[in-house]
Amino acid sequence: MEERIRKIVRITLEQIGAGNTTFVVERPPDMSHGDYTTNAALAAAKTLGRKPHEVADELARSLIDALGKGVASHIAVAGPGFINITLAREVITFAIAEADARGSEWGKGTAENGKRTIVEYSNPNAFKEMHVGHLVGTVIGEAASRLIENSGAKVARDTFGGDIGPNVAKALWGLRKNSISEPTTANEIGAAYAEGASAYESDPKAKEEIDALNQQIYTGTDRALMELWRKGRDVSVEEFRRIWRILGTRFDFEFFDSDTTETGVRIVHDGLAKGIFQKSDGAIIYNGEKKGVHTMVFITSHNTPTYEAKDIGLAFLKEERWPSDRAIIVTGNEQTGRFKTILAALGEVAPLLAAKTAHIATGFLKLASGKMSSREGNIITAARFIQNVLEKALVRNADPLIAEQVAIGAIKYMILRQAPGSDIVFDEEKSLSLEGDSGPYLQYALVRARSVIEKAPTTKHEAPNKIPETPYQLERLIIHFPEVAARAARELAPNLLVNYLTELAGEWNSFYAKERIIGGDNETYKLLVARAFVSTMTNGLTLLGIPAPEKM
């Protein structure tokens, strides 16, 4: 319906000489104003040199003629020139029936049909434990992937982790120092890395040894070292996969630095010969100032590639392994500057690859208490963070499965509710609250609705015996789900869907409190609305990657 209204407005604007006007058609913040509103008249008035109300009257007449009473029961000009549209009862009834009938297909779009998108996210580094920054990226990247899929695109998920370089050398140095040749846990490897990192900063001899190890890893000629490297990487990656499974994420491709190094080095050297890169003090750099970005080193004076060169290699590797129409990279906002440089360099090396690549920044997660360290003084890992929330969820939910679903819902909601790039303040108590603005609040609304339906004597296919003349507020909210999901996908903004579902859960709770669903007037139709709510909330939670428990 939103697109239908937009098309009518666009045609009318073209007819009156304002075809290039940018305007919005959206759900008004107050449902008493209607089901849709547009600012088209306000936006076009300046171009036309006319009063907004005059333009609004003309647009309203076009909408009335094109939609008719069968679609819009009321169209009115309001305020300085907004046009408010209220849908006919028949249109809302049909949409509610569609939500019920389509089930898991309700809300799916077609805007990206035939397109291919590859989304890179999470990106933990081997030989280090996954931290909460990777957790944030995993949650946002998975939600973005699901939203894009929901728009009809075929999506591949990839993650890119460091498995060679100074950080890896620090971990291997720590393992060797402690005579560990068979690492078995991520904690063990993480401790070795911490020891190596500390020694690198404080002990010149250790720094020299670690730098030498780094060179040996790149050459790959020391069999014992490479065997320890392989074992350590396997342990790290298996722990990452365990956390990904808990979060409901799976990857089509798991790329590593070692996969991209050779390609990245070759491309940078080719670019050096073409004048894209240049030599500086023995290193190869990209002079970003000419493009308004940072100047960065791509190959060091020791002839080892930096992360930037590896990212260039990765862009080519992804295109080779899974050609796409769009490539999205999700990382923390602290990497925004370096990705501007990488994309500027890629734009000179391979313009088509750069043009279809976008970097999405995520914010920093911090606790409301301000504490982000363990008792040992280390930053809390993703595994510890999840465990902390799970332990609190177990206090309220004795069933371990339900507790895990609630905990994951709590974590994902608090991350996804923020606008892209915004920092996240995580309050563990509020995150598990059933009182609103939380994942469990949405989950509980769904559980309650399912319980009502299960207790109902009415069969699903029974036609409503009576339909109330005035639509319930809940109905008027449900019908907007496909449009909200589509917009969230277009803008890569899961928070838009989070906000909508929170409002939807609140409207369900009001409906449940005010209306006698079973045994009251219009029982059959109320149950239809309840089923439509269940379809909408279930599909919305699924798009966000939030579990939908059967009980709570």
Side-chain angles (χ1 to χ4, degrees), residues 530-547:
R531 292 195 301 271
F533 166 78
V534 168
S535 292
T536 305
M537 182 59 74
T538 301
N539 295 353
L541 291 177
T542 299
L543 288 177
L544 297 174
I546 292 177

Side-chain angles (χ1 to χ4, degrees), residues 517-535:
I517 300 175
I518 299 175
D521 294 338
N522 310 312
E523 176 187 294
T524 309
Y525 190 72
K526 287 177 183 175
L527 286 169
L528 173 63
V529 174
R531 292 195 301 271
F533 166 78
V534 168
S535 292

Side-chain angles (χ1 to χ4, degrees), residues 381-420:
T381 64
R384 183 68 255 177
F385 184 82
I386 293 171
Q387 186 62 31
N388 287 347
V389 180
L390 176 58
E391 287 171 1
K392 286 183 169 58
L394 279 166
V395 174
R396 311 180 189 201
N397 303 273
D399 186 319
L401 174 59
I402 294 174
E404 182 176 296
Q405 291 176 319
V406 169
I408 297 303
I411 291 169
K412 290 194 171 189
Y413 181 97
M414 296 299 280
I415 292 172
L416 295 172
R417 68 196 284 263
Q418 299 296 332

